[in-house]
Amino acid sequence: MKIDPWSSTTYQDYARLRDEFGIQEFSEDLWKDLPHPQRLLRRGVVFGHRGFDIIHDAIQKKKPWAILTGLMPSGRMHLGHKMVIDEVLYYQSLGADIFIAVADIEAYATRGFTLEQTKELAINEYIANYIALGMDLKKCHLYFQSKHQDVKDLAFLLGKKVNWSQMVATYGFEGSTNMAHIFSPLVQTGDILHVQLEKYGGIRPTLVPVGVDQDPHIRLSRDIAQAHRLYNVTVTKDNKIGVFIKVDTNVKELLDAAENILKKLLFTDLTRITEYKAIYINTAQEKDITRIDETLAHIEPSFQGYGFLQPSSTYHRFITGLTGDKMSSSKPESAIFLTDTPQEAKKKIMNAKTGGAVSLEEQKKSGGKPDECMIYELFLYHLIEDDSELKNIYESCKKGELMCGMCKKRAAEYMEKFLNDLQEKRKKASGQIQEFLQ
Ligand code: TRP
Ligand code: SF4
């Protein structure tokens, strides 16, 4: 199996995908004790993660952390795109520092848009809706890739530690792939890691909430972050915890600095072997590694390093299209766009694929299948906040008490309310956009 971030594949078996790519399960202990957990977390829509433990820890200990998300302005914004923003808004309420990248370079490189076209789409489709959904542009850092010098510089400089074979293995690039496309994952790495530069808040845990199609970019960014580190803290073959210097300059100074830090962390029983560029910490345990590593990361900038912590990620399932396959901007009947009128949305809802039986009689007898129903999915992902209301629908559907006609009507009503409200708020958003564009 290969994940291609630019294809239009749908994914069915998320558990298998998770196992195959070494994504961790987003288990209850990661979200249960967060303040008022967001519905996509509660309901298993977010199904996997890499390194979320560090974010969980930062939230609990009220330490600084950041979120970086990106939008590709290559079509109209639909409900599938809304999920990330719902997640981001939730994390913002927990104190995350928010960064939003408009991926105009990627849209230019991979989708054939001009930068002018992407600007238009980004503003009218995405940014207007983000504000309408509750994002306050004054409280976040929103930027266009093509205009961000530090992101572009990083993309170029970080490329030093990735080679062509790795890019081919990750993305399946071919001889005919254009160079801007080949370079675009590095720009995304620039997006993800720039938030840890001193100027943007410094070294700190960073969460990138994405759909699972973005995992190749996440792996690349995590690998690159690690590759540029000066220190490596790890368990050795004979089960010791060691700090190793990965570079050949300033080895003595780096070892001195590490020794100092370790003593401050109250590890006193150290064995330093300068020829191995190593310090063994005789009393440390595996659970100490993260803390030691994070502390050492912070001194790397004084040795011309970046000290990037590996970015963390979460993965959400894709919402299914109303037609039963992928929700996609290129198939308008599959998607509900945030700028659809309630009438347009209603029509799509009425035509949607449900988990209903072939006849009313049959459905009364054997019940419906909410797990295979696009209407139920709309409730679950977007329209119903109250868990008990949702559970009610699920159960009465299964028992054959609820019929699809009623259910669709309810979905259309909720959707109408949502879309009307959003439209109102979009109108009010134009002031904020003007201000941002100045
Ligand atoms: N590649 C993303 C997409 O196709 C957009 C994106 C660019 C992004 N930079 C990012 C997403 C950084 C997350 C983080 O939608
Ligand atoms: Fe879906 Fe509702 Fe029909 Fe059940 S009754 S299959 S939830 S539309």
Side-chain angles (χ1 to χ4, degrees), residues 68-72 101 103 106 145 188 191-192 208 210 214 217:
L68 184 287
T69 180
L71 62 100
M72 172 106 99
E106 188 182 0
Q145 284 178 330
Q188 184 154 343
D191 289 330
I192 293 174
V208 190
V210 287
Q214 296 294 303
H217 301 316

Side-chain angles (χ1 to χ4, degrees), residues 241 266-269 280-285 288:
I241 309 288
L266 304 178
F267 296 106
T268 45
D269 190 359
Y280 297 93
I281 318 168
N282 301 314
T283 51
Q285 294 167 356
D288 300 318

